[in-house]
Amino acid sequence: MKSISQENQRLGIRARNMVWLGFGLLGLVMNAWVPRIPEIKAALHLTDAQFGTALISGPIGGIIGAQITGRLIHKYGSRWLILFMAVEACFGIFLLGMSTTYLGLIIALAIQGVGIGSLDNALNVQGVAVEVLLKRKYMSSFHGAWSIGMLIAVAAGGALSHFTTPRENILGMTILTLILFVPASFYFLPNSLDGHAGEDETVAAKVPLFDRKTAVLWALGLAMVGCLIPEAAVSDWGGILLHRDLHIATGLDASGVALFGFAMIVGRFTGDSIMMKLGAERVVKLGGYLGGFSLAIAIAIAVPLSDINNVAALIVVDLGFILAGLGIGPMVPALISATGKIPGVAPSVAIARVGIVGILSYFIGPVLTGNLSRWFNLPIAMAFPCAILVLAGYLSRTLRVAKSE
């Protein structure tokens, strides 16, 4: 008969594999519609401002979902909530593909936001519990799995754009996600091992909105905003930038987002070893500066160059997307790691607090970019996510403060 420690190790390894799969599927379903955004936007006859404003329903749903999920996980555990919210998220993505009106798009984005925010929260709880149980770091690779899912969704969507409608593409991705997620949900850590607080709410599980220690959380959240707004802006506006402003053909216009996702995979799967050599603070600083300046310079060169040499413009802007992805990749895991190590604040509570800020920024970023595009143009609007990525690099000093608290 196996000892308890051996059994826990077996459950932990099995759950680790499922968390990898879960984050991968989250990236897949969350980005299933990304390569078809230009077509969906055109089919609904939306301006940049209208499309950007529609995206605001996402963060509203995401914040609601994260708040509700945090309370439910605290009371009942994360395992079965993952399955429920995976189904809900897939339903929201399915509605995105079925939307034929502006209102329908807004409703679908809100439903998707609830599911994505909740599912991300629950998977992070499982991920932290797996690290504690197995006594090894996996968070960077978990987020790397999300990037793999994103890459698959974008690359497949770009390839399928020649053969399928956006509705068929999104429906196929939704069905695939459900087929894989339903059986996987049985192999996450059980409630007895997932680190949730159980039926009793303890003082350690509560933190005030503002005090000395939670001020550090808000600072880390602001740094997280600087990472996630550019990531979201690239996902939602990258294809439109290439297609409309650089005159790149359908299919190839998804190359920037796909290469960005691939670069993030490389950055995240090498993130743990890089942080061991350079330290988390330096990783965030160099990543922010490299990504922000590279992408801004690439767009500034590629837009006028596209009128002279379309191929050269595509190469230049794609190089900018690659460097931005390499820079951003390890930044979020580094910030999450620091968030979970603030003395006196429960790691799960701290990560949830910063996670809410992250969800908000991931959806708000594209909205602000869309409205800036209306006031100026999209290439100029993309300077906003580039600038805030540089700001995240500057805020790397927050990691030093968090460590010393």
Side-chain angles (χ1 to χ4, degrees), residues 64-74 81 85 117-119 121-122:
I64 293 172
Q67 293 279 18
I68 293 174
T69 304
R71 179 64 61 181
L72 291 176
I73 290 175
H74 180 65
L81 195 62
M85 298 318 300
S118 301
L119 187 55
N121 199 355

Side-chain angles (χ1 to χ4, degrees), residues 307-325:
D307 294 328
I308 303 171
N309 190 319
N310 196 256
V311 175
L314 178 62
I315 294 172
V316 169
V317 78
D318 279 353
L319 179 60
F321 281 123
I322 290 171
L323 293 175

Side-chain angles (χ1 to χ4, degrees), residues 152-164:
I152 293 173
V154 173
L160 291 171
S161 65
H162 298 288
F163 312 103
T164 65

